[in-house]
Amino acid sequence: MSTTIAPTPKVGTAELKVIQDATCTFCGCVCDDIDLTVKGHSITEAKRACVLGKAWFLNHEVEEGPSCLIDQKPATVDEGIERAAQILASARYPQVYGLSDSPCEAQRKAVAIADWIGGNIDTTTSVCHGPSGMAFQGVGEVTCTLGEVINRGDMIIFWGSNPAESHPRHFTKYSLMPKGLFTPNGRKDRTCVIVDVRKTKSAKAADIFVQIKPRKDFEALWTLRALARGIPLDAAVVEAETGTPLEKWQELMDKMKASKFGVIFFGMGLTMTRGKHCNSEALLALTRDMNAHTRFVAKPNRGHGNVTGADNVVSWRTGYPFGVNLSKGFPRFNPGEYTTSDVLARGEADAALIIASDPMANFSQAAREHLARIPYVALDPKDTPTTRHAAVAFKVATYGINTGGTVYRMDDVPIPLRPAFESPHPSDFEVLSRIEKRVKEIKPRQKA
Amino acid sequence: MSATFILIPGRTSKQGCGISEGKFGENYQSEINTLQVAPEDMQTLGLMDGDRVRLTGEHGQIDVAIRAAKDGELPPGLLFIAYGDLSSRLMGADTHGSGMPTSKGMDVTMEKIEA
């Protein structure tokens, strides 16, 4: 893969132009068929984008204000690079975190910095599908691309996922509506099942809606595993545990076995609920079991635009997808020990580099309080609670709108970005490249 | 009077749009600061849209405005709130060796805050 990013097109302030097949990086669907009408430094129309995509494109004009703040006071980017490098190079246990809204090229730089300063590298995956990442290692992953779902999928199950609100084009572009090679009639050739603890907006699209008791995903999945193997179950126990009668589970299993190509898309209803990786393991094991009867695959529905890229980049650079420690000179993986929420909540990190994420708004109170006590560097295109507490805050160009690069769709397919207009702010790739260079000057590698 | 519920924080499209518009904007703030309650529970507890309630969990406490969930979206006993600052204040720090704090399915008590 190239280590440089495609140059951004220079667009005059009054020039009107159309960028065809631009890539939306709001969610993991990474739709790459958006036609953008660009006028000067703003996008006036985003054809084919969903409600989230439109909000993404139409609200990322050039942000006013300086590109860098040091201690919340305006500073030059040069001054910010120097201060950031000094903070990171002098830290004893720094945490590098975020990355799910950065292109792969910038993610590589973040890993390089973490490696050089001997810190932890972690991504927002750890508070997203990190438990699923652990489950992949434990159970394995029977998987496919979204292209195969379009062309083959005839039994589409969403478990603990609400794509109608989180991935609005999922149904129409990938999973329910498209007409494919073996699904020539589109929606008519598919059965849609939604399993959730509440009747979400996605439930309206379901042929079968199964409402289970909260925190009973594991029990429900193991009920299906037993039925897949023909193991007799006590109907009263099943209904008491899952909230759904055994006969309804049996009816679902019969349809699953009768399908030709089943797909289970699963969301954070599994990973954020008690059980976490055990829930994901149960779902992946069910998927594996179903292949004794027919073809079945599972895919996590990924949230941020390049969170899948973060998994890939950190994996190919360190061997592990998230929660990696590099302080010994070699990578060690241990969720719960090196993951950011834990490191901060235990008060261990003495500095941090936060890239395109907002732990100051989304982490536990203990983690937030510790982050507020330590010096940290934040990169984000927007003003957030995290940038407002940073020792050094860089306002960076928005990936996919102002800068090019590569992102990974939720099915691990790499997609190029087609930027619309130039930003006066530096890209995260540029800022991280300069921090890496300066850190290496300040802190030469020690000989083993 | 307080009652026990299970809180499910989650995504909404309005919250997602609000992230792009800006986290300090009105749309985002109103979405993450509104708790959805099943109409049956509203009736039982004598609550109205716009009332404020106090949620108390094992790890924190928040005060939040409520509105009735759309009919049938929430079963009685379940509460829903869009992910954000308030929902995260109820999370514990322990990730049980996974890196992920328990962020959904939290036990809380809810009581009305008298004006």
Side-chain angles (χ1 to χ4, degrees):
Chain A
M1 190 188 78
S2 170
T3 55
T4 57
I5 298 181
T8 53
K10 289 188 182 299
V11 179
T13 51
E15 188 181 344
L16 185 71
K17 65 184 295 184
V18 173
I19 306 289
Q20 290 187 318
D21 294 332
T23 304
C24 176
T25 51
F26 183 82
C27 83
C29 281
V30 190
C31 298
D32 58 347
D33 60 349
I34 313 296
D35 289 348
L36 301 176
T37 302
V38 184
K39 188 174 184 183
H41 281 166
S42 66
I43 295 166
T44 57
E45 188 184 352
K47 197 172 171 186
R48 287 187 285 277
C50 66
V51 61
L52 296 174
K54 279 190 167 55
W56 169 257
F57 283 117
L58 271 52
N59 286 287
H60 277 91
E61 300 176 349
V62 170
E63 294 280 319
E64 293 180 355
S67 298
C68 180
L69 297 173
I70 296 178
D71 298 326
Q72 300 304 304
K73 296 188 180 82
T76 66
V77 171
D78 289 349
E79 291 167 336
I81 297 290
E82 180 62 27
R83 176 76 187 278
Q86 293 289 350
I87 288 170
L88 295 169
S90 62
R92 297 185 64 196
Y93 195 58
Q95 190 77 16
V96 179
Y97 173 72
L99 297 172
S100 56
D101 277 321
S102 290
C104 294
E105 293 80 357
Q107 292 167 346
R108 288 185 64 162
K109 290 293 171 189
V111 179
I113 292 169
D115 187 18
W116 196 268
I117 61 180
N120 296 321
I121 179 80
D122 186 34
T123 76
T124 61
T125 279
S126 65
V127 291
C128 170
H129 270 288
S132 303
M134 295 166 69
F136 291 146
Q137 295 176 0
V139 178
E141 181 186 17
V142 189
T143 189
C144 71
T145 66
L146 293 173
E148 286 178 89
V149 177
I150 292 170
N151 285 300
R152 298 174 185 276
D154 63 347
M155 162 62 76
I156 313 293
I157 301 173
F158 294 91
W159 196 301
S161 179
N162 181 16
E165 298 219 54
S166 58
H167 303 77
R169 290 186 83 200
H170 201 295
F171 291 159
T172 53
K173 194 167 191 295
Y174 299 116
S175 53
L176 291 187
M177 309 307 286
K179 294 175 180 175
L181 189 61
F182 299 106
T183 52
N185 302 305
R187 181 68 180 87
K188 290 177 186 167
D189 286 336
R190 296 185 172 96
T191 301
C192 173
V193 181
I194 305 271
V195 183
D196 211 306
V197 299
R198 63 189 180 99
K199 201 166 186 177
T200 63
K201 290 189 169 53
S202 299
K204 290 176 186 163
D207 300 303
I208 302 169
F209 173 62
V210 184
Q211 188 161 335
I212 60 171
K213 282 185 174 178
R215 303 184 295 217
K216 291 292 183 181
D217 299 270
F218 183 87
E219 289 81 351
L221 286 160
W222 272 76
T223 297
L224 285 174
R225 288 197 72 193
L227 295 177
R229 295 190 178 205
I231 297 169
L233 294 171
D234 184 320
V237 172
V238 167
E239 184 161 1
E241 283 294 317
T242 67
T244 297
L246 177 59
E247 61 198 48
K248 186 155 187 176
W249 289 120
Q250 186 63 63
E251 182 190 343
L252 174 59
M253 178 48 63
D254 292 344
K255 287 183 187 297
M256 289 167 69
K257 285 182 177 175
S259 69
K260 292 178 181 166
F261 192 100
V263 187
I264 311 180
F265 290 102
F266 59 108
M268 291 187 289
L270 288 183
T271 61
M272 285 185 164
T273 306
R274 188 176 68 192
K276 297 168 189 170
H277 55 286
C278 298
N279 297 333
S280 296
E281 280 180 5
L283 186 138
L284 296 172
L286 169 65
T287 307
R288 187 187 57 197
D289 295 348
M290 288 306 300
N291 280 275
H293 306 282
T294 184
R295 178 78 171 132
F296 243 86
V297 299
K299 294 291 324 162
N301 269 344
R302 303 308 304 273
H304 292 282
N306 200 24
V307 68
T308 307
D311 289 357
N312 277 275
V313 170
V314 178
S315 292
W316 80 54
R317 299 292 282 183
T318 73
Y320 305 106
F322 64 97
V324 183
N325 172 264
L326 297 159
S327 62
K328 295 282 187 188
F330 54 87
R332 294 183 294 172
F333 172 65
N334 197 7
E337 184 174 7
Y338 307 129
T339 33
T340 308
S341 177
D342 304 87
V343 170
L344 292 177
R346 287 194 300 261
E348 294 172 351
D350 61 347
L353 173 59
I354 311 290
I355 303 137
S357 61
D358 193 12
M360 202 54 99
N362 300 327
F363 274 15
S364 68
Q365 197 61 26
R368 291 192 231 188
E369 286 169 3
H370 183 70
L371 186 59
R373 283 194 291 267
I374 62 175
Y376 70 88
V377 182
L379 282 67
D380 205 294
K382 294 271 187 185
D383 192 20
T384 70
T386 298
T387 62
R388 286 191 176 185
H389 286 84
V392 185
F394 291 100
K395 191 183 293 292
V396 293
T398 305
Y399 81 135
I401 293 179
N402 307 131
T403 67
T406 310
V407 300
Y408 276 65
R409 203 168 62 188
M410 64 166 76
D411 57 346
D412 298 290
V413 172
I415 308 267
L417 300 178
R418 294 180 181 85
F421 60 89
E422 200 171 54
S423 168
H425 303 299
S427 68
D428 45 9
F429 174 79
E430 181 186 339
V431 171
L432 292 171
S433 298
R434 293 186 62 190
I435 291 175
E436 180 198 11
K437 182 171 182 288
R438 185 65 187 124
V439 159
K440 286 180 174 177
E441 291 168 355
I442 298 169
K443 187 180 184 180
R445 179 80 86 183
Q446 292 178 345
K447 289 181 181 175
Chain B
M1 185 177 96
S2 68
T4 303
F5 292 85
I6 295 176
L7 176 65
I8 311 286
R11 286 195 191 162
T12 68
S13 56
K14 195 174 170 189
Q15 173 235 18
C17 292
I19 290 172
S20 296
E21 291 163 9
K23 285 193 167 180
F24 299 102
E26 190 181 336
N27 283 344
Y28 181 79
Q29 287 298 321
S30 71
E31 186 69 356
I32 66 165
N33 287 301
T34 305
L35 178 74
Q36 295 180 35
V37 183
E40 299 90 331
D41 291 328
M42 300 268 286
Q43 194 171 7
T44 305
L45 296 173
L47 297 169
M48 307 278 286
D49 277 1
D51 281 350
R52 290 185 68 78
V53 297
R54 178 160 297 153
L55 294 188
T56 305
E58 187 182 350
H59 306 287
Q61 187 177 77
I62 61 169
D63 294 349
V64 62
I66 63 164
R67 70 174 166 86
K70 286 188 180 160
D71 216 16
E73 280 194 4
L74 272 183
L78 232 59
L79 305 170
F80 178 83
I81 189 169
Y83 285 132
D85 173 63
L86 279 189
S87 68
S88 301
R89 288 182 188 278
L90 294 171
M91 291 185 331
D94 191 355
T95 70
H96 308 100
S98 73
M100 167 75 83
T102 301
S103 319
K104 288 180 183 281
M106 295 179 277
D107 288 319
V108 294
T109 59
M110 179 169 71
E111 59 183 319
K112 184 179 178 182
I113 301 172
E114 299 298 339

